[in-house]
Amino acid sequence: MKRKPNYLKHLLQWGVLAAIVGTVLWAKFSDKPVDVEAYCPFGGLQAFGTYLVNNSLACSMSMLQIMMGLVLAVGVILFSKLFCGYLCPLGTVGEWMGRAGKKLHLQVDVPSGSVVDKLLRVVKYVLLFTILYFTLSSSELFCKKLDPFYAVATGFKGEIVLWMSLTSLTLLLLGGFVVKMFWCKYICPLGAVSNIFKFTLLFVIAALGGWALGALGVANAWVWTIGGACLAAYIVEIAKMRSCTFPLMYIRRDLNTCNNCGLCEKKCPYQLPIHDYVKVKHVDCTLCGNCIGACAKDALQVNGRRSLRWVPGLLAVVLFFLAIWLGSTMELPTIDEKWGDYEKVENLQTFEMEGLQTIKCFGSSKAFSAKMQAVQGVYGVKTFVRRHGVEVLYDPAATDTLKIQAAIFAPTLRKYAMPGEQVPVLDVVKLGVEGLHDRMDMIYFGMVLQKIEGVYGFTSEFACPVDVTVYVDPAAGITEKMFGEAIDAKELIIPAKEGEKVIPMHTVLKTYAVAGQVSREEFAQVMFRDVEKLAGRFVANLEKWGDDEQFPKAVYEMVFPGIEKMPIRNAFPYFKSFLSCTDGIVSVDFVLRDMKPVMRIHYVKSMWDDAKLWKEVFQTEKWTLRMADGTFKEADPRLKFTTEGKTVEE
């Protein structure tokens, strides 16, 4: 009988590799970022672990990854290690390296169940424990530091540790060249966790044990759980080399037709001792079907039925797309935090809001949580990064949804330009705008208004709808219709590195009224309010040099019109931190002169003069910054100063 290759397996393996190469090349030539681990089930299992342990997900961990991991777990328990046999690119490369080594007669035989084989099998469990420990401790994927696929796919530019990545890549290529499926049998942490799922009873015991330890209040119960599971799985693996009841799908050998020719074992990527089994439930079996195609007697079939031969490959595809569908329809919260005596509060309610563009990662979610903790009556938050949504747990007796929305909202003041003398007065236009929820909404809304010629600036305050005050040139002829067309537009197109970026907009103009006029000077004063907030007194320096009689002060003034621009204003806190770390400088503030902002630095006369300030403060090559934890670090300056100031009399 002719050999019957598993064409579906080869098609899937080549297809996965082609898709990966195509994605990486497309990303490279289009200059668009690509998540090369978006479909990684191991990353998903780690992500789900961080959620169980820390009640949070890092921004690099998506629901798609999580569903890939959970579906893999279910697939291994019910069927077998189908991902390993049909879809895993590392498994494919390892298999090809084994064929190459065999053709060149360079392979070393390590029999399954031998002493060397059993000793090597511990490596993947040690690696699994290490990866899970550091990932669950930090909520960041530790495996990226050493994953050979991630290193190659990113061109060694990702979050890697070079020596770890090179070691892993060497073990994958050279190891597979010398020993068949070296990576998959001995190194792969996903193989280790898949084996734990194959030993289903062990997995259930470990999960229940971890839950019990947590319920008993054992510190770091998860460490004992994963450590115990890895150790137990290794012992079971080397002692039995096979699973029992699960998986439900396996290769069955017909004793009546098998002639023990051994060809199936030669074609098996793992060289499993198939002749020792009736039901081939060896821990390494991936149901790849190579043995079935090699058997001239049709003695090997999936569950003993010829009709099921193609089912494992088809199941691998079905499970893959099931994970994609589940990942696109479900979402775990990025953070789920509660605080205070929430358990003692009766009738807690949940306020939900979506479309918050600031909720975009783990860090921004934590910042949102910190903001909500300052709101009286709020006891918890959940954030959902994919849909930019939040759920706020609150006591309706202490607060209400309007107060929560007001706390989320970011009042904004933005100046685009100072009107010239030819524009002595500006119209004050009052707008009521729906769809402005948080800081990012206000940033994009500011870009919308900036596109309208004749608009010089705006302010916003929370209301329902949001109260927006726009200052416009009366001669520009801006009508309510023009405002409506700009604000009601469904998208905003802004320049980006890759060309243009399209931002979905959900703002709606609800009310419009002209509320009088202001002079240029009055407009300048209104816009200056945002700059005044940047002033600061340096407590540590005031304690040393605050006595004016002992340490007379002087004031160095510099015209600083750029401070009204958003990027410079955002960078100024770093300069202020640098000033606070500089001996003899006690405070900084701003005044408005001739409608221009002027920065004033207050310093000890005996320690500084104009020339020294300019050289050592404004032209220094490094800034010393005070960090939040009280430590100091050196950093490159974030602001450039080109116009010198001078000391003035108070």
Side-chain angles (χ1 to χ4, degrees):
M1 183 180 292
K2 292 179 64 178
R3 181 169 175 258
K4 308 175 288 296
N6 191 341
Y7 294 111
L8 180 57
K9 172 192 171 184
H10 300 316
L11 177 64
L12 291 175
Q13 287 180 325
W14 277 103
V16 168
L17 289 177
I20 292 170
V21 172
T23 300
V24 172
L25 290 176
W26 178 82
K28 181 177 180 180
F29 290 109
S30 65
D31 291 326
K32 292 185 177 180
V34 61
D35 183 1
V36 296
E37 290 204 324
Y39 301 96
C40 174
F42 187 47
L45 291 171
Q46 293 173 76
F48 189 64
T50 64
Y51 176 73
L52 294 178
V53 171
N54 303 321
N55 245 8
S56 64
L57 294 174
C59 53
S60 62
M61 302 177 185
S62 69
M63 195 61 194
L64 176 58
Q65 279 180 303
I66 292 173
M67 294 316 304
M68 285 289 173
L70 295 180
V71 168
L72 174 135
V74 173
V76 171
I77 291 171
L78 294 180
F79 309 117
S80 189
K81 298 195 291 187
L82 303 181
F83 175 82
C84 301
Y86 291 87
L87 302 177
C88 179
L90 299 185
T92 301
V93 171
E95 187 175 342
W96 290 352
M97 294 305 297
R99 293 176 188 171
K102 183 178 180 180
K103 287 183 179 180
L104 295 174
H105 305 288
L106 294 174
Q107 283 204 328
V108 175
D109 184 26
V110 180
S112 180
S114 66
V115 174
V116 174
D117 176 67
K118 290 180 177 180
L119 289 175
L120 285 173
R121 286 177 184 272
V122 76
V123 176
K124 63 178 178 284
Y125 290 105
V126 172
L127 191 58
L128 173 63
F129 176 82
T130 303
I131 289 172
L132 290 179
Y133 177 82
F134 285 108
T135 297
L136 271 58
S137 298
S138 64
S139 288
E140 293 295 340
L141 294 183
F142 182 81
C143 64
K144 287 185 176 182
K145 300 179 185 297
L146 51 85
D147 183 357
F149 166 72
Y150 178 76
V152 172
T154 60
F156 289 87
K157 295 179 180 179
E159 302 167 37
I160 69 168
V161 174
L162 186 59
W163 72 268
M164 290 185 181
S165 298
L166 291 176
T167 300
S168 297
L169 192 59
T170 301
L171 291 173
L172 171 66
L173 300 178
L174 187 58
F177 195 73
V178 177
V179 178
K180 260 195 168 186
M181 305 305 289
F182 181 82
W183 175 271
C184 299
K185 284 199 291 186
Y186 305 126
I187 309 298
C188 181
L190 179 58
V193 77
S194 295
N195 289 355
I196 293 175
F197 294 136
K198 251 193 172 185
F199 302 137
T200 308
L201 179 60
L202 185 153
F203 167 67
V204 171
I205 292 173
L208 292 175
W211 174 81
L213 289 174
L216 292 172
V218 175
N220 296 322
W222 61 271
V223 178
W224 295 99
T225 302
I226 62 175
C230 288
L231 178 60
Y234 170 64
I235 293 172
V236 173
E237 180 172 329
I238 63 174
K240 295 187 63 175
M241 288 290 181
R242 65 184 296 272
S243 55
C244 296
T245 304
F246 294 94
L248 302 178
M249 193 169 282
Y250 51 88
I251 301 294
R252 185 180 184 92
R253 185 169 69 97
D254 188 340
L255 298 179
N256 295 322
T257 55
C258 177
N259 62 4
N260 292 309
C261 67
L263 186 59
C264 57
E265 296 175 7
K266 292 180 180 179
K267 295 298 182 181
C268 174
Y270 294 88
Q271 291 186 304
L272 301 182
I274 298 173
H275 65 276
D276 290 341
Y277 298 94
V278 175
K279 294 180 179 180
V280 184
K281 288 197 170 186
H282 193 284
V283 69
D284 291 335
C285 181
T286 64
L287 284 185
C288 71
N290 283 13
C291 58
I292 296 176
C295 183
K297 297 294 184 179
D298 268 351
L300 298 171
Q301 298 295 345
V302 175
N303 286 49
R305 298 173 62 181
R306 182 180 298 180
S307 59
L308 298 179
R309 184 188 177 188
W310 307 108
V311 170
L314 294 173
L315 277 174
V317 175
V318 169
L319 291 173
F320 177 78
F321 284 104
L322 175 63
I324 291 178
W325 177 74
L326 291 173
S328 64
T329 56
M330 301 174 64
E331 186 175 12
L332 288 175
T334 301
I335 64 170
D336 181 356
E337 298 183 347
K338 296 181 179 67
W339 52 80
D341 297 327
Y342 69 93
E343 295 175 336
K344 299 179 181 179
V345 181
E346 297 182 358
N347 301 319
L348 285 175
Q349 296 185 11
T350 300
F351 169 68
E352 298 184 23
M353 179 180 285
E354 293 190 4
L356 299 179
Q357 298 299 321
T358 49
I359 305 299
K360 55 186 177 182
C361 65
F362 177 76
S364 60
S365 296
K366 293 293 287 185
F368 178 82
S369 175
K371 191 174 186 179
M372 289 295 100
Q373 289 180 42
V375 181
Q376 184 177 2
V378 172
Y379 288 92
V381 297
K382 293 181 183 179
T383 64
F384 301 87
V385 166
R386 188 178 66 201
R387 66 174 189 264
H388 305 294
V390 298
E391 294 180 5
V392 180
L393 189 68
Y394 72 99
D395 178 7
T399 189
D400 56 39
T401 58
L402 276 179
K403 291 178 181 177
I404 294 172
Q405 291 179 72
I408 295 172
F409 182 76
T412 302
L413 185 154
R414 186 165 179 189
K415 176 183 176 182
Y416 301 122
M418 186 65 197
E421 294 182 358
Q422 72 278 13
V423 186
V425 295
L426 297 172
D427 280 344
V428 179
V429 179
K430 293 285 188 177
L431 306 178
V433 182
E434 285 187 348
L436 297 175
H437 305 304
D438 62 1
R439 182 176 59 85
M440 288 305 299
D441 284 337
M442 294 309 311
I443 289 174
Y444 293 139
F445 180 73
M447 293 179 182
V448 169
L449 291 185
Q450 191 172 11
K451 292 177 178 290
I452 304 175
E453 188 174 351
V455 173
Y456 284 94
F458 76 95
T459 64
S460 67
E461 296 293 337
F462 179 76
C464 290
V466 171
D467 182 10
V468 179
T469 302
V470 188
Y471 298 89
V472 304
D473 180 0
I478 305 173
T479 63
E480 179 180 359
K481 181 180 179 182
M482 294 169 66
F483 273 117
E485 289 175 349
I487 294 171
D488 295 349
K490 299 302 181 184
E491 60 184 31
L492 168 68
I493 300 176
I494 60 177
K497 289 183 180 179
E498 60 270 16
E500 291 182 338
K501 183 177 181 180
V502 178
I503 307 296
M505 297 295 291
H506 45 264
T507 48
V508 179
L509 178 63
K510 303 299 291 187
T511 62
Y512 169 93
V514 178
Q517 292 185 327
V518 295
S519 66
R520 292 173 65 238
E521 292 78 6
E522 290 171 321
F523 171 74
Q525 286 288 349
V526 170
M527 293 293 113
F528 185 66
R529 293 200 308 255
D530 226 24
V531 176
E532 287 180 312
K533 298 175 184 178
L534 299 174
R537 290 165 54 84
F538 310 135
V539 177
N541 289 358
L542 282 168
E543 290 177 354
K544 293 180 182 180
W545 300 287
D547 189 333
D548 289 341
E549 292 185 3
Q550 186 179 358
F551 302 104
K553 309 298 188 300
V555 179
Y556 182 89
E557 291 192 352
M558 174 189 292
V559 178
F560 198 179
I563 194 64
E564 295 179 310
K565 297 179 180 178
M566 185 70 71
I568 296 178
R569 198 157 65 241
N570 290 339
F572 189 78
Y574 295 94
F575 180 65
K576 191 161 63 173
S577 176
F578 164 58
L579 292 178
S580 73
C581 298
T582 304
D583 289 346
I585 296 180
V586 296
S587 66
V588 60
D589 58 25
F590 289 85
V591 295
L592 191 67
R593 290 208 179 103
D594 297 326
M595 290 181 285
K596 294 179 182 178
V598 174
M599 179 171 61
R600 294 157 34 98
I601 294 178
H602 300 255
Y603 67 90
V604 177
K605 281 185 178 182
S606 60
M607 300 177 65
W608 295 94
D609 57 36
D610 288 8
K612 188 178 179 183
L613 280 168
W614 179 250
K615 181 180 179 181
E616 297 183 18
V617 173
F618 296 101
Q619 300 299 310
T620 184
E621 294 182 357
K622 290 290 182 182
W623 286 354
T624 299
L625 304 179
R626 190 190 309 272
M627 310 309 293
D629 59 4
T631 60
F632 299 88
K633 81 168 187 177
E634 297 287 315
D636 292 330
R638 298 200 176 197
L639 296 175
K640 291 184 178 181
F641 299 93
T642 57
T643 304
E644 293 187 46
K646 64 180 181 179
T647 297
V648 298
E649 294 294 332
E650 280 280 64

